[in-house]
Amino acid sequence: MNLIGTPEDLQKTADYLKREFEMKDLGKTKYCLGLQIEHSADGTLVHQSNYTEKVLKRFGMDKAHPLSTPMVVRSLDTKKDPYRPKGDDEMVL
């Protein structure tokens, strides 16, 4: 069971659950639903690399050679963005 809260609330809840049920406290979750979870002082990181490797292996793509995929770069200036919505005074070519 994953619990979220302040350290005091977590301790109170864990103590209550241990009194009511036969259970162990396994500490912080490291792996859940195929995702690797890393806890640090700055926050929690969720890694999908293990999940991605599993999916690639399932579909026989684990031996494929990775390539970089070019990406269309969009401009923050709406007048220069070729993918902006068409204005009333513009024609579609």
Side-chain angles (χ1 to χ4, degrees), residues 7-34:
E8 298 82 24
D9 289 341
L10 292 174
Q11 190 59 49
K12 270 184 4 186
T13 304
D15 291 341
Y16 173 77
L17 290 171
K18 285 178 187 175
R19 283 193 309 271
E20 294 294 318
F21 306 100
E22 187 177 327
M23 63 176 272
K24 294 180 187 177
D25 184 0
L26 300 175
K28 293 183 177 183
T29 304
K30 295 180 183 167
Y31 197 77
C32 182
L33 299 174

Side-chain angles (χ1 to χ4, degrees), residues 47-72:
H47 301 277
Q48 292 183 317
S49 57
N50 289 344
Y51 174 76
T52 304
E53 287 173 16
K54 226 178 191 181
V55 169
L56 289 172
K57 188 175 244 180
R58 179 178 178 192
F59 292 101
M61 298 295 295
D62 54 329
K63 304 290 186 225
H65 300 288
L67 296 173
S68 63
T69 304
M71 188 171 103
V72 175

